[in-house]
Amino acid sequence: GAWTRAFIAYEPRWSIGTGVVPSVDHLNQMVAAIEESARAHGSSRPVLLYGGSVDEHSCRQIAFHKPSLRVAQ
């Protein structure tokens, strides 16, 4: 069935538990692919949640470059 409202969590497997934050370019590519897939399944506004490692600088970078991606820690 269609996803009318999708909430999707994302963190690269290679960064889990390492403290390594993906680059903004990597996040842009992955968010675009996830949003495209969610829209193909009927979600008009998917909400993406990044739950990986962040610090003050990387959190600002992610929020500035990808406002559709929510950061949770």
Side-chain angles (χ1 to χ4, degrees):
W3 306 345
T4 56
R5 180 77 175 178
F7 292 82
I8 303 165
Y10 172 73
E11 180 180 5
R13 276 182 32 189
W14 51 262
S15 73
I16 295 172
T18 65
V20 176
V21 180
S23 69
V24 172
D25 289 338
H26 173 85
L27 289 173
N28 282 337
Q29 291 173 9
M30 293 308 301
V31 167
I34 293 167
E35 288 175 336
E36 181 180 329
S37 180
R39 286 191 180 102
H41 285 87
S43 180
S44 60
R45 290 184 341 168
V47 176
L48 281 74
L49 175 66
Y50 174 73
S53 298
V54 291
D55 57 24
E56 187 175 338
H57 174 73
S58 60
C59 189
R60 285 185 185 154
Q61 288 290 94
I62 292 167
F64 178 77
H65 291 285
K66 205 62 184 165
S68 64
L69 181 63
R70 309 297 191 270
V71 177
Q73 190 62 6

